[in-house]
């Protein structure tokens, strides 16, 4: 395994290094990447992550001309507004996909492709030099918390990936927002780095949030149906206004176990716990630290306690991850 910085990757550019899966830093989370024209490498991504084969890969581009090569037809006008406002950045859009795209990317009955343009200019330079879009899901073992440092990825994949590019800790820390106009209906399929309010402001109308698939509903975003972001520890999410007394009551039941608190600055936790990880005070800081906190506490705790956040702005994305990471939700 070797690890290099983005600067080194650009300076000592060697196209043959990109024939197998490699790790890239993005502003959201680290990704495990392969060129979209390298079928064997794309297949290896599924194997390394343990990813179900019906969960398609998102594609990263560095220019609109790259986008036009992989989609069918024109860019819908609502998307043009969003692209103008939010690209490059943490917004993934669902397009009808070109028939020329590898079946491994199209590998589902949806006939669509999810695309985003990452905000880091050096990563876009690298995609430009490679000359092909990169498919890159989050670089974690399927189901576990996403990685926000290169060490998190090494912890999950080790030598199973040969080439790591280190860009330092991710700025945002939660995955991109996934948005699509599906059969004419604007749907927020995964809350993330761009808030629902920001998208609604740009479009001038309200959008529906459909980040969970209900029983019997047609699956539009396959990732929704799998358990996600979960450490091995048991995670309790406390929802009610009396969370402090409820937490204290539950804490009493875990005497002798290693209890961790994923806490907010200035909150008081009036009971005994063995580990504490501070998420920060504002929601942006909480986004940045959430996955690192889950991974850190998971190293030493049997049980992790977290309290809920309000569902507006960045809170919606954090709560989506927390609900999917939790084993128990205490109302
Ligand atoms: O921020 C991100 O989006 C990160 C970084 C590395 O770019 N990537 C990421 O990829 O989170 P992944 O694969 O972990 O999550 C992509 C989500 C999944 O829920 C997947 O089901 C959904 O996007 N998705 C992919 N292709 C889709 C498609 N054609 N239609 C609907 N949903 C799609
Ligand atoms: Mg993921």
């Amino acid at each position: 395994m070797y690890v290099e910085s983005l600067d080194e990757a650009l300076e000592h550019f060697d196209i043959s290094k990109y024939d197998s899966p490699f790790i890239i830093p993005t502003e959201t989370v680290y990704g495990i990447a392969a060129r979209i024209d390298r079928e064997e490498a794309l297949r290896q991504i599924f194997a390394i992550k343990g990813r179900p084969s019906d969960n398609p890969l998102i594609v990263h581009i560095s220019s609109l001309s790259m986008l036009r090569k992989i989609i069918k037809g024109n860019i819908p006008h609502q998307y043009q507004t969003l692209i103008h406002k939010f690209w490059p950045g943490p917004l993934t859009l669902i397009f009808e996909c070109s028939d020329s795209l590898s079946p491994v990317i199209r590998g589902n009955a949806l006939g669509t492709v999810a695309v985003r343009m990452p905000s880091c200019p050096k990563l876009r330079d690298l995609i430009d030099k490679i000359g092909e879009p990169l498919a890159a899901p989050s670089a974690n073992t399927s189901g576990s918390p996403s990685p926000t440092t290169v060490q998190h990825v090494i912890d999950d994949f080790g030598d199973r990936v040969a080439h790591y590019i280190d860009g330092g800790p991710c700025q945002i820390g939660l995955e991109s927002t996934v948005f699509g106009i599906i059969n004419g209906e604007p749907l927020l399929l995964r809350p993330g780095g761009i808030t629902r309010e920001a998208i609604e402001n740009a479009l001038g109308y309200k959008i529906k949030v459909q980040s969970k698939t209900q029983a019997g509903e047609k699956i539009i975003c396959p990732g929704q149906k799998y358990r996600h972001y979960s450490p091995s520890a048991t995670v309790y999410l406390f929802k009610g206004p009396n969370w402090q007394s409820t937490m204290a009551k539950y804490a009493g039941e875990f005497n002798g176990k290693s209890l961790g608190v994923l806490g907010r600055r200035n909150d008081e936790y009036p009971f005994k716990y063995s580990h504490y990880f501070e998420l920060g005070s504002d929601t942006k800081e909480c986004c940045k630290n959430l996955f690192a906190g889950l991974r850190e506490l998971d190293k030493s705790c049997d049980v992790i306690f977290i309290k809920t956040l309000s569902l507006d702005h960045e809170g919606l994305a954090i709560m989506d991850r927390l609900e999917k990471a939790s084993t128990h939700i205490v109302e």
Side-chain angles (χ1 to χ4, degrees):
M1 167 212 313
Y2 71 96
V3 184
E4 62 180 349
S5 66
L6 263 171
D7 283 328
E8 286 163 333
L10 286 167
E11 205 171 313
H12 310 293
F13 184 76
D14 168 4
I15 191 77
S16 68
K17 285 200 284 194
Y18 302 96
D19 286 342
S20 310
F22 56 99
I23 301 304
I24 53 167
T26 84
E27 76 278 31
T28 56
V29 300
Y30 276 75
I32 174 163
R35 297 169 51 141
I36 62 164
D37 60 345
R38 294 288 187 273
E39 296 229 345
E40 183 44 36
L42 295 170
R43 283 202 183 86
Q44 281 176 35
I45 290 181
F46 284 88
I48 293 168
K49 275 182 66 73
R51 186 180 181 93
S53 60
D54 67 349
N55 194 1
L57 304 178
I58 82 170
V59 173
H60 298 65
I61 53 165
S62 55
S63 65
L64 291 182
S65 57
M66 258 188 192
L67 174 68
R68 290 197 185 89
K69 282 194 208 149
I70 55 176
I71 65 172
K72 198 180 254 178
N74 295 323
I75 303 175
H77 71 273
Q78 296 99 321
Y79 285 7
Q80 286 182 23
T81 306
L82 296 175
I83 287 173
H84 183 68
K85 184 102 204 220
F86 299 116
W87 277 13
L91 176 68
T92 297
L93 296 171
I94 311 291
F95 294 86
E96 267 191 67
C97 83
S98 149
D99 298 328
S100 65
L101 219 57
S102 154
V104 185
I105 301 273
R106 292 193 286 126
N108 62 83
L110 304 169
T112 54
V113 60
V115 187
R116 82 179 191 94
M117 188 188 280
S119 64
C120 170
K122 285 177 186 165
L123 176 60
R124 296 203 305 278
D125 285 350
L126 185 71
I127 300 174
D128 252 356
K129 278 200 165 182
I130 292 171
E132 281 292 333
L134 299 179
S138 52
N140 52 311
T141 305
S142 267
S144 70
S146 294
T148 54
T149 64
V150 81
Q151 187 58 50
H152 292 160
V153 191
I154 294 171
D155 291 345
D156 275 20
F157 297 157
D159 279 325
R160 284 185 292 149
V161 176
H163 178 193
Y164 288 76
I165 302 175
D166 185 357
C170 299
Q171 270 168 15
I172 293 178
L174 286 187
E175 299 87 344
S176 60
T177 300
V178 179
F179 175 80
I181 299 187
I182 314 287
N183 302 325
E185 189 179 14
L187 295 178
L188 196 149
L189 296 166
R190 178 177 71 180
I194 300 289
T195 64
R196 169 199 197 159
E197 290 85 349
I199 294 178
E200 288 177 341
N201 275 339
L203 291 176
Y205 51 81
K206 295 272 174 211
I207 54 173
K208 186 171 157 194
V209 179
Q210 193 173 308
S211 60
K212 291 179 202 129
T213 309
Q214 309 296 336
E217 246 173 19
K218 187 166 180 265
I219 289 164
I220 299 166
C221 185
Q224 291 174 355
K225 66 185 164 150
Y226 299 107
R227 192 165 142 72
H228 260 97
Y229 317 115
S230 309
S232 339
T234 310
V235 180
Y236 281 78
L237 176 62
F238 290 85
K239 278 198 155 173
N242 303 320
W243 60 272
Q244 275 160 316
S245 54
T246 321
M247 268 193 193
K249 199 169 96 207
Y250 273 72
E253 292 172 19
F254 293 113
N255 272 338
K257 296 224 171 186
S258 173
L259 170 63
V261 171
L262 202 51
R264 299 281 299 274
R265 194 173 308 148
N266 305 328
D267 278 348
E268 306 240 331
Y269 297 89
F271 51 87
K272 260 179 83 179
Y273 48 82
S274 38
H275 295 82
Y276 178 81
F277 186 99
E278 178 159 307
L279 286 176
S281 52
D282 64 47
T283 48
K284 280 205 169 68
E285 257 183 292
C286 292
C287 287
K288 196 167 172 177
N289 295 323
L290 179 67
F291 288 137
L294 285 171
R295 281 178 175 262
E296 188 56 36
L297 290 181
D298 201 27
K299 286 182 191 158
S300 35
C301 298
D302 307 309
V303 186
I304 300 173
F305 280 8
I306 318 174
K307 80 158 192 189
T308 95
L309 278 83
S310 69
L311 289 175
D312 48 6
H313 303 284
E314 288 84 9
L316 185 69
I318 298 179
M319 284 303 292
D320 171 79
R321 308 309 188 267
L322 285 181
E323 287 186 356
K324 288 175 178 153
S326 301
T327 0
H328 302 276
I329 297 180
V330 184
E331 300 284 346

